[in-house]
Amino acid sequence: MEFLRPATWEEALAAKADVPGAVPLQGGTDVMVEINFDVRRPAALLDLGAITSLSDWEVAADGRVRVGAAVPYARIITELGDRLPGLAQASRTVGSPQIRNRGSVGGNLGAASPAGDSHPPLLAGDAVIEAESAAGGVRMIPADTFYTGVKRNALRPDELIRAFWMSPATGPQYFSKVGTRNAMVIAVCSFAVALHPRERRAGTGLGSAAPTPRRARAAEDFLAAELDWDGAAPLTGPLLARFGELAAEAASPIDDVRGTAAYRRHAVAVMARRTLGWAWNDYRERVASCA
Amino acid sequence: MRVNLTVNGRAETADGVWEGESLLYVLRERLGLPGSKNACEQGECGSCTVYLDGLPVCACLVAAGQAEGREVRTVEGLADGDRLDPVQEAFVECGAVQCGFCTPGLVVQAHDLLERVPEPSDPEIREALAGNLCRCTGYEKIMDAVRLAAARKAAR
Ligand SMILES: Cc1cc2nc3c(=O)[nH]c(=O)nc-3n(C[C@H](O)[C@H](O)[C@H](O)COP(=O)(O)OP(=O)(O)OC[C@H]3O[C@@H](n4cnc5c(N)ncnc54)[C@H](O)[C@@H]3O)c2cc1C
Ligand code: FES
Ligand code: FES
């Protein structure tokens, strides 16, 4: 095995082009488990730890937040909780403090597990993933098209993830996760909702409920048509129930050790109703306090 | 490969390190620091917790090469000579140590919590220690120990 330690982003891209089989290494919380257990013996590890720019985030000229692939969950929680509240909530549920000090959204995207906790809020918040290769340059991939199969993503063999982009929240955002205990748990299933009041629509994201993380588009369309943005009237029971149903219909879960497909569908409907309820309550309070 | 790092304030060099080797292996097997325990090698138990550049991490999930040029502080580096850190003292006094396998990781993680949050609430303690498993104590004595250490540190 080789241990490659590029000092710059350009060197990293060159190394990935030279050795496409090199496994990028960020926090290592996925990669090292596989190496420790002999699941994977890559030809080379490509340690991105020396490229400090990957651990920075900034507000870009267009107002969007650009977050480096290596910014660990712990810093997303403390530094980006106000701008990206849905992602920060999801980050708080990842592993343990030790895992959150190392694990990154870049690594979560690289692993592309259907159960990865960052994916639902990235989908609900219309995140765009910035990937780059030495030969192909920069490619901006909407989260929507990034997940291509179980643990597969849209990256080409010579591409690396540099950052993701997201607009700061203009409305309430919530994440909810079902697990067998409170901490240190892989999601049985998860759900994220983001209200986008200016565009009069809501975004959604489902986790661990299909081969890939995905949006519940019919549920989003339903909300865009039904939500009373101006009057901010309370949500009705039938509206919540229909939203839950549509969210569950977007799932195509499997039975596995963590839960049955039927349970997951049910749980998605419950989480969808609850997160929308929380988000809408917050929205109503904001509208009331502005009036 | 060769890895240079600072451990508990001392410059160290490890030679012949395998590229897939963990920082935990380097600490225990090459640098003779068996304080950090190896129990699960998958980030689940927290018994290998060490500070890496000031942040507690699972040493079993850090590739040795990633520690090149960095600062590591292990449980061995918490005491001041023969004088135990207040967290270590409190663990001993409260009976929070039984077989002791989980202790080094818990001590480092609790130490970090008290550095950041001098007077943590019980939920804050539980959240901070959520990545550290103990199969002996039932955690109540560990909670007692962290509360006692917090009180002692505050009094100092
Ligand atoms: C005990 C434990 C608990 C966990 N709990 C959770 C949890 O609750 N929720 C959750 O979602 N995950 C969890 N995980 C999984 C893991 O922590 C996350 O997936 C994390 O986001 C991985 O980030 P990392 O930086 O450590 O990635 P790494 O392990 O460094 O990399 C992960 C994958 O991404 C690739 N990669 C990394 N960086 C790049 C890049 N810049 N470009 C292209 N590819 C790249 C790697 O090659 C690898 O395939 C847990 C892991 C452990 C060990
Ligand atoms: S040995 Fe590292 S977390 Fe268990
Ligand atoms: S004291 Fe034995 S595992 Fe904690």
Side-chain angles (χ1 to χ4, degrees), chain A residues 48-67:
Chain A
L48 302 173
I51 304 164
T52 49
S53 63
L54 290 179
S55 315
D56 292 338
W57 64 266
E58 64 188 344
V59 179
D62 66 359
R64 285 187 300 165
V65 193
R66 178 178 183 262
V67 186

Side-chain angles (χ1 to χ4, degrees), chain A residues 9 16 22-34 40 45-48 54 68-73 90-96 99-100 102-119 130-132 146 151 153 155-156 159-163 175 177 183-187, chain B residues 40-46 58 60-61 66 131:
Chain A
W9 179 246
K16 189 70 179 127
V23 170
L25 183 60
Q26 207 94 80
T29 58
D30 278 314
V31 172
M32 286 304 287
V33 174
E34 293 182 339
R40 209 173 196 187
L45 288 173
L46 179 62
D47 177 23
L48 302 173
L54 290 179
V71 176
Y73 293 111
S91 301
R92 258 197 97 186
T93 77
V94 172
S96 60
I99 300 294
R100 295 193 288 272
R102 297 280 299 163
S104 63
V105 172
N108 217 220
L109 287 165
S113 157
D117 287 320
S118 73
H119 311 318
E130 179 184 336
E132 190 171 349
F146 184 79
K151 302 195 176 176
N153 59 37
L155 289 184
R156 297 186 188 129
E159 267 178 337
L160 293 173
I161 303 165
R162 187 164 193 177
F175 173 78
K177 167 173 169 179
M184 280 292 263
V185 83
I186 301 176
Chain B
C40 73
E41 293 197 288
Q42 53 179 320
E44 297 277 352
C45 75
C58 297
C60 68
L61 300 184
Q66 292 184 293

Side-chain angles (χ1 to χ4, degrees), chain A residues 189-201:
Chain A
C189 53
S190 61
F191 189 84
V193 73
L195 300 185
H196 304 296
R198 281 188 208 152
E199 297 140 64
R200 299 263 182 276
R201 64 181 188 91

Side-chain angles (χ1 to χ4, degrees), chain B residues 55-132:
Chain B
L55 291 177
V57 304
C58 297
C60 68
L61 300 184
V62 177
Q66 292 184 293
E68 172 71 34
R70 306 205 182 248
E71 296 221 4
V72 176
R73 192 174 179 201
T74 69
V75 70
E76 286 97 338
L78 294 188
D80 181 7
D82 282 343
R83 201 168 135 206
L84 292 182
D85 181 86
V87 177
Q88 293 171 309
E89 247 172 26
F91 266 67
V92 175
E93 282 176 37
C94 292
V97 182
Q98 287 190 30
C99 81
F101 213 81
C102 67
T103 310
L106 276 163
V107 165
V108 173
Q109 189 60 25
H111 183 272
D112 171 68
L113 171 67
L114 298 186
E115 293 287 298
R116 289 180 297 109
V117 188
E119 290 175 72
S121 64
D122 281 5
E124 282 173 319
I125 301 174
R126 287 184 195 281
E127 185 171 11
L129 302 185
N132 293 75

